[in-house]
Amino acid sequence: MTGLPSAWRSVLPHLGYDLPADLTPEGSGGPVVATVPLELIRQSTSRREFWPIPEPVLAEYRRYRPTPLWRARRFEVEMRATVPIYVKYEGGNISGSHKFNTALAQAYYYQRAGFRELVTGTGAGQWGSALAAACATIGLACTVFMVGGSLRDKPYRGSLMRLYGAELHASPSALTAAGRKAAAGDGGNSLALAIGEAVEYARADPKRAFCIGSGETYSILHQSVIGLEAVDQLAALGADVDTVVGCVGAGSNFGGVALPYFAAARNGERDADTALVAVESSATPKLTRGVYAYDHTDSTGTGPMEAMYTIGSGYAIPASHSAGLRFHGAAKVISAMRHRNQIQARAVGQRAALDAGRTFARTELVLAAPESGHALAAAAAIASGRDGHRPRRGVLVCVSGHGLLDLSAYDKLLAGLPEDAPADEGGLRAATAVLRAVPPMEGG
């Protein structure tokens, strides 16, 4: 029987280089005043490897962790896999996704720092649901700006957030200048806009703080419980894998499942030949077709510019049933590792993702979120050798959340949903042409 890790594990000591520093945007009037608690900043910058999980956070983790891991034998047969496929399932907590792991940690640190309300933006609603539940648990107020198109497609995500006491607004909203500007133009319907509205709203009150659930290095650190558990659970089964797969919006669940494997390999605890495969939507192909450049993380253009693989924060991202992947950039640690070829990347279309989710539901009796369908589709292609990758021992895939509140997407699949169009090449070039490239990094 494997247990819950008592510490998060950072990948930073094992990269072999420092992450590029953030830049202050031109015309911003100087450095942005951060409201991030000091402990979270330390977790994002220090080369300390193990960070003890605070007991109040551990106590909440014990309610739903360790999460299940199993060999998906019927899925293997259906997908004609030639090696085992193991699934790490993060959909069993009250929020329905892996996001709860960092939501609980962040709520704890923000409350200790004296904040009384957390504000955020969310795409598919998994992060918004997780933060709303964490704030209810810790005793904080919560305000969420959710991508309007996603809220219309997934109204019960909104119901869940309101049930936990959160104040919910469809983005673009009339509450912020960013929302009003977008509504007066093309109507804006992106995660960058929802995040931008949340940033603006939070700045209006010193007791409010904006927090984010995926792209920051500390949120990826908190997700390391996924991979740490998986390593022990596979060992308890007498099994091992040489490929680890996760979907990527900004990168938290992929980082959570994959980076502990990287750290263990660099530390000599396991073979160094484990392939780490990040799977994104073909509608937002930052890791496969984007550029490595400094870009904004939200639509306001006022926050620090981060070094990331990006398709441009100004790129008009089309609507998708996998809204959690509709973010223009990847987390800076994921981006840096991609730039150094320490991880691989694949892009999957939404029909292929939903098809994989439907097959997984029929064979394993678990309905995966559409976002996780991208990871399942890629894992099946890898395990069967269809994409040219030839694993020998097996494939581990993180199913980062359930799809029980995403049934409208599966309804459209059953009704004959066409494949989504790939990102427009001209639009990608235009959106990234103005960005500043990241200079070569020293070390590693």
Side-chain angles (χ1 to χ4, degrees):
M1 178 69 176
T2 57
L4 171 65
S6 60
W8 298 302
R9 186 175 194 175
S10 174
V11 75
L12 297 183
H14 301 287
L15 293 179
Y17 52 86
D18 292 327
L19 298 179
D22 296 348
L23 299 180
T24 301
E26 294 181 7
S28 67
V32 176
V33 177
T35 58
V36 179
L38 183 58
E39 188 69 2
L40 294 180
I41 295 174
R42 291 193 188 103
Q43 292 172 2
S44 291
T45 57
S46 171
R47 289 204 175 193
R48 177 179 177 178
E49 183 170 10
F50 291 100
W51 296 81
I53 302 172
E55 178 54 39
V57 179
L58 266 178
E60 297 302 324
Y61 279 2
R62 292 188 189 105
R63 294 175 181 267
Y64 65 96
R65 306 204 67 90
T67 58
L69 181 145
W70 72 91
R71 181 175 174 182
R73 294 180 183 273
R74 289 177 289 180
F75 184 67
E76 290 171 14
V77 172
E78 188 75 14
M79 292 301 196
R80 300 181 180 178
T82 59
V83 296
I85 298 175
Y86 296 95
V87 173
K88 181 65 168 166
Y89 181 58
E90 291 291 308
N93 65 70
I94 191 63
S95 78
S97 83
H98 73 291
K99 302 282 191 179
F100 203 38
N101 298 327
T102 188
L104 286 167
Q106 289 190 51
Y108 168 79
Y109 288 119
Y110 276 99
Q111 186 191 53
R112 287 190 65 194
F115 292 100
R116 296 294 175 261
E117 178 180 353
L118 297 185
V119 186
T120 198
T122 190
Q126 291 179 334
W127 168 240
S129 300
L131 189 64
C135 285
T137 299
I138 299 295
L140 295 173
C142 182
T143 299
V144 180
F145 290 83
M146 183 170 174
V147 173
S150 296
L151 184 55
R152 287 189 295 274
D153 286 343
K154 308 168 194 288
Y156 293 118
R157 280 282 176 198
S159 301
L160 192 59
M161 291 177 231
R162 294 187 188 99
L163 183 67
Y164 299 143
E167 184 178 318
L168 178 65
H169 303 283
S171 177
S173 77
L175 287 179
T176 68
R180 292 189 294 271
K181 180 180 177 181
D186 63 5
N189 190 32
S190 73
L191 181 53
L193 174 59
I195 290 173
E197 290 206 79
V199 169
E200 180 183 336
Y201 185 81
R203 286 176 179 163
D205 187 329
K207 286 299 182 181
R208 294 175 187 157
F210 167 76
C211 68
I212 194 68
S214 183
E216 296 304 319
T217 305
Y218 53 77
S219 67
I220 294 174
L221 170 70
H222 302 155
Q223 299 296 354
S224 65
V225 293
I226 303 173
L228 293 170
E229 286 180 5
V231 169
D232 287 347
Q233 288 169 318
L234 283 169
L237 294 175
D240 195 10
V241 296
D242 47 17
T243 306
V244 181
V245 180
C247 63
V248 171
S252 67
N253 94 87
F254 166 73
V257 72
L259 299 194
Y261 278 85
F262 183 87
R266 284 296 182 99
N267 204 40
E269 299 165 26
R270 57 176 291 110
D271 292 341
D273 63 347
T274 304
L276 311 178
V277 183
V279 188
E280 61 190 6
S281 164
S282 61
T284 49
K286 51 262 185 176
L287 292 172
T288 53
R289 295 174 60 193
V291 298
Y292 191 41
Y294 287 100
D295 200 0
H296 300 286
T297 57
D298 66 80
S299 65
T300 67
T302 58
M305 298 184 72
E306 296 186 0
M308 65 178 78
Y309 267 92
T310 176
I311 55 175
S313 55
Y315 180 75
I317 300 172
S320 167
H321 295 296
S322 300
L325 305 187
R326 293 177 68 245
F327 190 59
H328 63 276
K332 54 187 169 184
V333 64
I334 302 299
S335 296
M337 295 181 73
R338 172 64 170 156
H339 193 60
R340 293 297 186 97
N341 294 316
Q342 293 171 325
I343 64 171
Q344 303 176 26
R346 305 281 194 278
V348 171
Q350 68 176 352
R351 182 172 181 85
L354 290 169
D355 273 331
R358 175 172 58 177
T359 300
F360 189 73
R362 289 203 319 261
T363 56
E364 299 300 318
L365 302 182
V366 171
L367 183 64
E371 291 81 6
S372 295
H374 292 70
L376 287 168
I382 290 168
S384 66
R386 293 197 306 272
D387 78 338
H389 188 81
R390 300 283 180 179
R392 300 183 307 278
R393 296 193 295 271
V395 177
L396 171 65
V397 57
C398 182
V399 173
S400 58
H402 69 63
L404 297 176
L405 297 177
D406 301 286
L407 290 173
S408 62
Y410 284 103
D411 274 345
K412 290 178 181 179
L413 172 70
L414 296 173
L417 172 77
E419 180 61 279
D420 51 335
D424 173 66
E425 185 61 34
L428 293 178
R429 286 199 302 269
T432 57
V434 297
L435 300 178
R436 174 180 169 182
V438 179
M441 294 181 287
E442 296 182 359

